[in-house]
Amino acid sequence: MQLSTGSVVRPRALTAVMDGAAVPVPDPEGRLVHLQFRRFAGCPVCHLHLRSVVRRHAEIEAAGVREVVVFHSTAEELREHVAALPFVVIADPGKRLYAEFGVESSYRSLLSPRAWWPVLRALAVAAVELLRGRAKTPARVQDGGRLGLPADFLIAPDGRVLAAGYGEHVDDQWPVEKLLKLAKRAGTVGA
């Protein structure tokens, strides 16, 4: 069952991959949470998207947003791929959070013509990064599969879902600009 604007997310503590710290969602310090669901550790399309988030991370934080990124890989596998990210990454190899938030897998993740160019571009960038020794290849077999669809949620401190986005293909996630507009709108509504 997919969540929609106005749904309420129950409080929970997730575990950060890199340091094992508890990550409360929603945020008890009054920040918005951008809860992103990505695919698997080393996913070239996810990596390319997250690079855009990294480039504007200071701007995102200044807007009062905390990034929390979920992958359906194990923590051990993720550590090799996400060590340099400036935000929290969560492992969900059993896809429990994916199920709870209604995030699906589908062949259309790669079969949609809208995904073809982003996939080719991501593979080209990944190949260059591999040749330079700046990236590792993903595992050949992914326990959670390779056909996941992305999803984005903006969650208020009281647990209300302020915005929800379910991807229709592998590269259908919120660009940073959209996230910042949603955060600004949330600040205006809360004022």
Side-chain angles (χ1 to χ4, degrees), residues 86-150:
F87 39 79
V88 176
V89 175
I90 307 297
D92 184 20
K95 292 180 125 179
R96 284 186 218 93
L97 280 173
Y98 286 78
E100 185 178 335
F101 281 79
V103 181
E104 303 172 347
S105 294
S106 171
Y107 285 103
R108 74 180 186 267
S109 69
L110 295 173
L111 295 179
S112 169
R114 293 181 294 168
W116 298 346
W117 171 245
V119 167
L120 290 173
R121 181 173 171 254
L123 289 172
V125 169
V128 169
E129 293 292 311
L130 284 169
L131 290 172
R132 290 181 174 168
R134 296 181 186 165
K136 295 184 177 255
T137 57
R140 287 163 82 41
V141 175
Q142 297 294 328
D143 293 335
R146 292 183 178 266
L147 301 176
L149 291 166

Side-chain angles (χ1 to χ4, degrees), residues 57-97:
H57 187 247
E59 199 176 341
I60 293 167
E61 281 190 322
V65 178
R66 180 175 192 193
E67 288 290 341
V68 178
V69 182
V70 182
F71 285 90
H72 60 71
S73 297
T74 65
E76 182 179 332
E77 188 176 355
L78 276 167
R79 281 186 198 103
E80 296 179 34
H81 296 276
V82 302
L85 296 178
F87 39 79
V88 176
V89 175
I90 307 297
D92 184 20
K95 292 180 125 179
R96 284 186 218 93
L97 280 173

